[in-house]
Amino acid sequence: MNEKNIISIIDIRNSKKATTPLFLDSVSAGFPSPATDYLENKLDLNEYLVKHPAATFIVKASGPSMIEAGILSGDLLIVDRSVTPKNDNIVIASVFGDLTVKKLRKKGSSLFLVSANNEYPSIEIKEEMECFIWGVVTYVIHKAVTK
Amino acid sequence: MSYIKQLQNNHSSLDNSIALIDCNNFYASCERIFNPKLMRRPIVVLSNNDGCIITRSAEAKKLGIKMGEPYFKAKKIIDKNNVKVFSSNYSLYGDISQRVMETLARFAPDIEIYSIDEAFLGLNGFENYELSTYCSYIRRTIKQWVGIPVSIGVSSTKTLSKIANNLAKKNKEYDGVCILKSWFEINEALKLTPIGDVWGIGRRLSSFLQKYNIKTAYDFIQLDKGWVRKNMGVVGEKTFLELCGVSCIELDLIPSDKKSCCVSRSFSKPIEKIHDLEESVSAYGTRVAEKIREEGLMAESMSVFVLTNYFNRKEKQYSNSIKLQLPFPTNNSIKIVKRALQGIRKIYREGYRYKKAGVILYGLSKSSQVKGLLDYDRESSDAIMNTMDRINGRYGSSVVRLASEGIEKSWRMKREKVSPCYTTNFDDLVEVKT
């Protein structure tokens, strides 16, 4: 019992920097665990979701207009500002100074911000709108479990 | 012949290339990232406690709002011109600064982070025509990746690159990049630079030089090198040589180990009771211990100080500080706060209205290197602190705290107009309409 308690304290300390899994160092009297040689670093979602940490921001979506693109109200969006926006990318755009999330679409020489919900109109980007692309959405984090 | 003439006649080399990258009106620009509506609106950012104006956007400068001006004095212009006012949000500015520096570090192996919004970059090996293309590229990248506009000055010494940077900022036609890599360009730039604006020339040296009719940096470098050394010392000579294109101040690539760390704040309103002072000192002690833990350091000794409002001449003044030894090197909040409280009780005097207090830790060293003889409970002490830091890291700062910090904290700093911590707190993420 006592030993268990001590281990849990050390665990908290070590896991701050998530270095090596704890039991690698433990001395055991019996047969060594055959899994020890195969231990690898734990999965790191930051590494998976964020390619350019300096340029990546997280924002929160609100509203129903991007439902068909898999973005629901309250979802978190990973936005990588180092990615050059391309046709059909989901982007964060600033329109008249308001940030909005839409699909970027090119038709001929015109650019549109398109909703992913038939009930919402598309916006054609015009000069006087002072529109610029704030960043490209690379991942959507959606909570699957509801209470 | 003067020193500079000799250099120029010999076509002395200006091969070295050092860039100074400086973020434009940094705090105001940070606020604009998540609030593009403010793009052309005048913005000011206030110092701690909403006291003075410490950052002005270009539009605010144009309105005649002065740097360092007390907020209440500028309030009339601010209200009349619909200037957006922010309390300083160092969580946001610190995070954005880190992003800028990380991005900059991709462009050259040698970088010296000089302040929250400035860095020197070693750009040796580039041909002069490449430099301007490369710097424009750096500038565009920082703007696109992080959203911060920067100005870049390049020359062969740090002091000259500061001057180049100033010019890049002042002249629109430079488009944010100014490169001074020929004697002609350097001479012209120095003629435009008042001697008091030169990096390393303080007010004292500046008024000393004015006496000799030295008005610009150009006048200064015409002087005799020996005279400068004799009258302005080694430091003055260094500045002189730097302006002559001779590099004397190397890039400082490895941040030197910190020897001390301080947390101090002004109170929102004057404090008179020892109880309130104890609470504030507990909070600062906790925060400063947290800070050194973040860097893996331990402190050997500490001091606590208090002072009254020096500017309020009508009230009687008192200030004092006390140096306190710690029993062994530690970064444990509980031990540091305990000692801080003993200190504040010793220096507290009744009947004064206190304006500010602080806790300073000294003799910092890497925590792995030191273990005091009496430090028998180091493991459990570390475990408790780590647990506290983790909980506070996840659920917001000071969720778990020492009771001596108090709950109401009526003395706490005034930050009435602070923006959300967009990049460091999940509850503060910017909302984007779909």
Side-chain angles (χ1 to χ4, degrees):
Chain A
M1 253 343 252
N2 227 345
E3 220 179 306
K4 236 183 188 170
N5 283 338
I6 291 166
I7 284 176
S8 71
I9 289 172
I10 296 171
D11 188 18
I12 283 167
R13 188 173 57 172
N14 276 2
S15 55
K16 184 169 183 187
K17 277 190 182 145
T19 44
T20 39
L22 180 69
F23 48 100
L24 197 65
D25 300 321
S26 75
V27 183
S28 113
F31 187 73
S33 161
T36 315
D37 288 346
Y38 298 91
L39 282 182
E40 288 180 40
N41 288 332
K42 297 200 174 193
L43 293 177
D44 182 359
L45 277 177
N46 277 318
E47 198 182 308
Y48 183 77
L49 297 173
V50 180
K51 294 286 171 290
H52 307 99
T56 301
F57 295 84
I58 303 179
V59 304
K60 194 177 200 169
S62 101
S65 81
M66 290 299 283
I67 283 181
E68 280 152 40
I71 298 175
L72 275 66
S73 204
D75 286 356
L76 300 189
L77 311 176
I78 312 269
V79 184
D80 189 339
R81 294 183 50 132
S82 73
V83 174
T84 309
K86 292 197 189 81
N87 191 25
D88 267 348
N89 278 166
I90 296 172
V91 297
I92 307 290
S94 167
V95 181
F96 290 117
D98 285 317
L99 294 176
T100 177
V101 51
K102 296 280 176 204
K103 236 177 204 177
L104 183 69
R105 188 155 299 155
K106 205 176 165 202
K107 276 184 200 157
S109 60
S110 318
L111 280 171
F112 293 86
L113 294 170
V114 184
S115 299
N117 182 338
N118 288 336
E119 289 169 35
Y120 290 82
S122 304
I123 313 164
E124 185 177 354
I125 301 176
K126 295 205 177 100
E127 194 140 343
E128 69 272 13
M129 292 161 71
E130 296 182 5
C131 178
F132 68 92
I133 303 301
W134 194 87
V136 173
V137 177
T138 48
Y139 289 94
V140 181
I141 302 179
H142 173 73
K143 188 174 180 178
V145 179
T146 47
K147 271 189 197 155
Chain B
M1 200 192 309
S2 74
Y3 180 70
I4 188 69
K5 286 270 152 48
Q6 284 175 37
L7 286 178
Q8 295 186 356
N9 289 350
N10 295 335
H11 301 284
S12 172
S13 129
L14 292 166
D15 283 349
N16 207 19
S17 293
I18 298 175
L20 173 66
I21 293 95
D22 190 357
C23 302
N24 301 349
N25 320 316
F26 181 56
Y27 299 165
S29 300
C30 288
E31 299 290 354
R32 277 181 173 150
I33 299 175
F34 298 93
N35 209 339
K37 267 224 161 75
L38 300 176
M39 217 49 101
R40 250 167 261 155
R41 209 172 132 187
I43 299 177
V44 296
V45 179
L46 305 177
S47 61
N48 280 340
N49 243 335
D50 293 350
C52 301
I53 288 157
I54 50 168
T55 302
R56 305 157 296 157
S57 71
E59 300 77 7
K61 285 176 193 170
K62 261 189 209 141
L63 291 172
I65 298 171
K66 300 269 174 323
M67 183 70 180
E69 194 171 7
Y71 176 42
F72 72 88
K73 271 195 178 164
K75 198 145 189 321
K76 219 171 161 188
I77 310 181
I78 285 173
D79 291 345
K80 196 175 144 207
N81 294 283
N82 197 19
V83 177
K84 179 78 182 166
V85 180
F86 288 100
S87 304
S88 33
N89 180 351
Y90 286 107
S91 313
L92 175 66
Y93 310 152
D95 179 79
I96 299 298
S97 166
Q98 232 173 39
R99 291 165 182 268
V100 170
M101 300 308 168
E102 252 179 76
T103 310
L104 275 178
R106 303 168 70 97
F107 290 101
D110 293 343
I111 177 170
E112 174 189 340
I113 297 168
Y114 185 66
S115 71
I116 193 167
D117 59 355
E118 291 169 285
F120 290 102
L121 217 53
L123 292 181
N124 281 339
F126 284 94
E127 296 290 337
N128 285 348
Y129 72 92
E130 293 171 331
L131 272 174
S132 106
T133 322
Y134 196 60
C135 288
S136 300
Y137 177 57
I138 294 176
R139 197 167 166 266
R140 274 203 313 278
T141 307
I142 302 286
K143 179 82 179 105
Q144 192 188 326
W145 285 34
V146 193
I148 295 289
V150 300
S151 303
I152 304 182
V154 185
S155 194
S156 58
T157 70
K158 276 181 163 179
T159 309
L160 283 172
S161 74
K162 274 251 178 196
I163 286 173
N165 190 290
N166 258 333
L167 291 174
K169 242 187 221 130
K170 278 186 190 138
N171 300 311
K172 272 238 159 73
E173 59 270 32
Y174 284 120
D175 206 18
V177 177
C178 172
I179 292 168
L180 305 176
K181 286 298 301 276
S182 73
W183 284 114
F184 174 74
E185 291 165 324
I186 291 174
N187 282 335
E188 292 308 301
L190 296 188
K191 283 177 194 167
L192 291 171
T193 307
I195 187 67
D197 286 2
V198 173
W199 193 43
I201 303 277
R203 201 176 297 167
R204 205 176 51 82
L205 281 181
S206 160
S207 58
F208 168 75
L209 287 168
Q210 304 273 358
K211 269 189 263 167
Y212 292 90
N213 211 19
I214 307 297
K215 295 205 173 70
T216 65
Y218 180 80
D219 299 339
F220 181 51
I221 60 166
Q222 309 308 315
L223 292 171
D224 175 61
K225 187 164 142 257
W227 186 92
V228 171
R229 164 116 202 197
K230 200 173 136 230
N231 289 284
M232 297 170 68
V234 190
V235 182
E237 189 191 17
K238 252 190 190 173
T239 303
F240 176 84
L241 288 170
E242 284 258 315
L243 287 174
C244 293
V246 180
S247 183
C248 300
I249 311 171
E250 298 293 314
L251 284 182
D252 189 1
L253 302 180
I254 309 147
S256 50
D257 277 349
K258 259 203 211 160
K259 291 280 179 272
S260 68
C261 185
C262 171
V263 169
S264 74
R265 309 257 193 281
S266 298
F267 309 125
S268 53
K269 52 177 195 249
I271 286 184
E272 290 176 66
K273 289 195 211 98
I274 177 75
H275 174 77
D276 289 335
L277 271 182
E278 283 174 356
E279 280 190 10
S280 71
V281 165
S282 298
Y284 304 158
T286 308
R287 182 68 199 116
V288 75
E290 238 170 54
K291 265 169 107 171
I292 66 165
R293 285 204 296 278
E294 271 166 31
E295 301 189 33
L297 299 170
M298 293 210 164
E300 268 171 16
S301 62
M302 57 187 288
S303 74
V304 177
F305 67 88
V306 285
L307 38 110
T308 50
N309 187 357
Y310 179 75
F311 293 103
N312 194 342
R313 293 296 166 86
K314 279 177 251 157
E315 291 179 1
K316 43 182 188 165
Q317 302 293 323
Y318 172 70
S319 69
N320 202 354
S321 75
I322 183 169
K323 192 125 189 180
L324 304 150
Q325 207 59 37
L326 289 159
F328 44 80
T330 188
N331 55 22
N332 181 304
S333 296
I334 301 168
K335 296 198 166 81
I336 286 166
V337 167
K338 227 180 217 168
R339 220 51 193 115
L341 288 174
Q342 290 166 355
I344 191 75
R345 283 169 201 148
K346 275 200 180 133
I347 57 175
Y348 171 78
R349 300 283 177 275
E350 232 182 88
Y352 293 98
R353 288 158 58 79
Y354 294 97
K355 169 76 182 151
K356 188 175 186 175
V359 177
I360 309 171
L361 300 180
Y362 297 102
L364 303 183
S365 53
K366 284 265 175 265
S367 53
S368 53
Q369 290 162 5
V370 279
K371 183 162 186 210
L373 203 56
L374 299 169
D375 195 1
Y376 48 84
D377 62 347
R378 167 96 167 258
E379 278 74 23
S380 72
S381 154
D382 281 357
I384 294 169
M385 288 305 115
N386 274 310
T387 309
M388 257 177 84
D389 290 344
R390 277 165 53 90
I391 293 173
N392 287 336
R394 185 178 305 173
Y395 298 105
S397 61
S398 350
V399 168
V400 178
R401 59 174 183 259
L402 305 181
S404 56
E405 275 185 49
I407 292 173
E408 214 175 294
K409 297 191 185 178
S410 56
W411 43 268
R412 189 157 45 191
M413 196 165 70
K414 211 157 88 183
R415 284 169 86 200
E416 281 170 355
K417 299 162 191 301
V418 69
S419 55
C421 295
Y422 298 108
T423 55
T424 52
N425 188 339
F426 272 106
D427 294 331
D428 280 0
L429 296 178
V430 70
E431 231 175 66
V432 174
K433 290 232 173 64
T434 68

